[in-house]
Amino acid sequence: MHPLARGTRHGSNLGRCLQLYSHYETSVSTGRVHWESRRSYFGPLQWIQQKFAPAPKKALVPEVKHHDAPSAENEILGERGAREVEPTVSMRKAKEKKASPEGPKRKQAREHKYSTANFKISHRKLNMLGRQISGKPIDHAIMQMQFSEKRASGRIKSMLSTAKLHATVYKNMDPLKLIVSEAWVTKGPKQLKRLEPRGRGKFGIRVHPDSRLHVMLRPGKTFEQLQKEKRAMRLKRIVSAGIVREDVPLRNPASSWQW
């Protein structure tokens, strides 16, 4: 009797345990489902992320009523292409203007004046260089200053080359025909005066001079033309010794024939 009762009790307890375990499994499964469903809910964070996420903007394309007119996308692409082509066209036009300038040509100037700045040198010393380049073609004057041993020759050479460039560019003068027609020297506006101590407690005044050189460029004969004229003049003076008949009067005619 007792063993049977114990068996029935044990069976009833086992059944209760199975029911409780099945109920626990179902509750756990439903809890997981509820938790997963809670995860899938659209919360405020998801809304903010979707609202402020960077996305490409859609172009506002106006509607085209006419069928013959091109589409709005083609118009936009055409505007972009025109913007890209505009600078190239402007650059081409600028190059064409530079290559073939329009309008009347500038007149050729008759003369061009240029000078050095005031620098520390005596006007007597500078005047010797002015006499050396006066009346010579500009290229020969530059060459003279290039090989000169004077201290101021380098400054005068740079001045002459600058004057030649300005005359050709700004005044439309022929660089091959430029000559230094005039060259003169002037004193500077301010002569520095300093004390010079002397013997027996006396002193003198030492003057530190400064001066500048002016040149006047004018179109003239080239060096080749001058050499040709000089040679022709020398040939004209030569008189033959009777081998060729010349229409030249006798310099020392004799009183009678010399047989």
Side-chain angles (χ1 to χ4, degrees):
M1 188 71 183
H2 292 286
L4 183 61
R6 287 177 183 175
T8 54
R9 288 175 186 174
H10 184 69
S12 62
N13 291 332
L14 184 60
R16 287 177 183 177
C17 290
L18 290 173
Q19 288 178 2
L20 290 172
Y21 182 73
S22 62
H23 180 68
Y24 174 75
E25 282 187 348
T26 53
S27 64
V28 168
S29 62
T30 53
R32 286 178 180 174
V33 170
H34 286 301
W35 181 254
E36 294 293 337
S37 63
R38 283 178 186 176
R39 282 185 177 179
S40 63
Y41 287 158
F42 190 74
L45 294 176
Q46 286 80 3
W47 180 82
I48 291 170
Q49 289 177 359
Q50 185 177 1
K51 192 71 176 176
F52 296 100
K57 293 184 179 180
K58 295 182 180 180
L60 299 175
V61 182
E63 296 181 359
V64 181
K65 295 181 180 179
H66 302 285
H67 297 288
D68 297 335
S71 62
E73 295 180 358
N74 294 336
E75 288 181 358
I76 294 169
L77 293 174
E79 289 178 359
R80 290 178 182 175
R83 289 174 187 173
E84 293 176 356
V85 171
E86 279 177 1
T88 57
V89 173
S90 62
M91 290 171 67
R92 287 177 184 173
K93 289 182 179 178
K95 289 181 179 178
E96 289 177 358
K97 287 182 179 179
K98 289 181 180 179
S100 59
E102 298 179 357
K105 294 182 179 180
R106 291 179 296 174
K107 293 183 179 179
Q108 185 176 359
R110 294 182 179 179
E111 59 185 17
H112 178 62
K113 181 183 175 183
Y114 203 73
S115 65
T116 61
N118 289 323
F119 62 101
K120 185 179 177 182
I121 190 173
S122 174
H123 61 280
R124 294 184 181 90
K125 295 178 182 178
L126 190 59
N127 195 26
M128 290 190 290
L129 293 174
R131 288 199 302 266
Q132 188 177 352
I133 64 175
S134 179
K136 293 185 178 180
I138 187 68
D139 294 331
H140 276 253
I142 293 172
M143 189 181 297
Q144 289 289 330
M145 293 297 103
Q146 185 176 359
F147 293 99
S148 177
E149 296 180 356
K150 299 292 184 180
R151 180 167 54 88
S153 60
R155 189 186 292 264
I156 296 173
K157 186 188 76 171
S158 63
M159 182 268 292
L160 290 173
S161 58
T162 306
K164 178 184 175 183
L165 180 65
H166 289 185
T168 55
V169 174
Y170 299 120
K171 296 194 175 180
N172 198 20
M173 299 175 75
D174 190 3
L176 299 176
K177 295 183 179 180
L178 287 177
I179 62 169
V180 183
S181 62
E182 298 178 23
W184 67 96
V185 178
T186 57
K187 292 182 180 180
K190 294 181 181 180
Q191 302 284 338
L192 293 177
K193 296 181 180 181
R194 295 292 181 266
L195 296 178
E196 184 180 7
R198 298 283 186 175
R200 296 184 181 183
K202 297 180 181 181
F203 63 91
I205 296 176
R206 179 181 287 275
V207 179
H208 297 273
D210 58 345
S211 55
R212 62 195 306 177
L213 177 68
H214 305 262
V215 293
M216 183 72 73
L217 303 182
R218 291 192 179 97
K221 297 178 181 179
T222 61
F223 181 75
E224 288 77 10
Q225 291 176 353
L226 294 175
Q227 290 294 105
K228 190 175 180 181
E229 290 180 359
K230 192 174 181 180
R231 186 172 181 275
M233 188 179 294
R234 287 179 178 178
L235 290 173
K236 190 176 181 181
R237 291 177 182 176
I238 299 174
V239 179
S240 63
I243 300 174
V244 181
R245 184 178 177 83
E246 296 179 353
D247 296 331
V248 179
L250 296 174
R251 297 180 183 177
N252 296 319
S255 60
S256 61
W257 292 100
Q258 302 288 334
W259 294 106

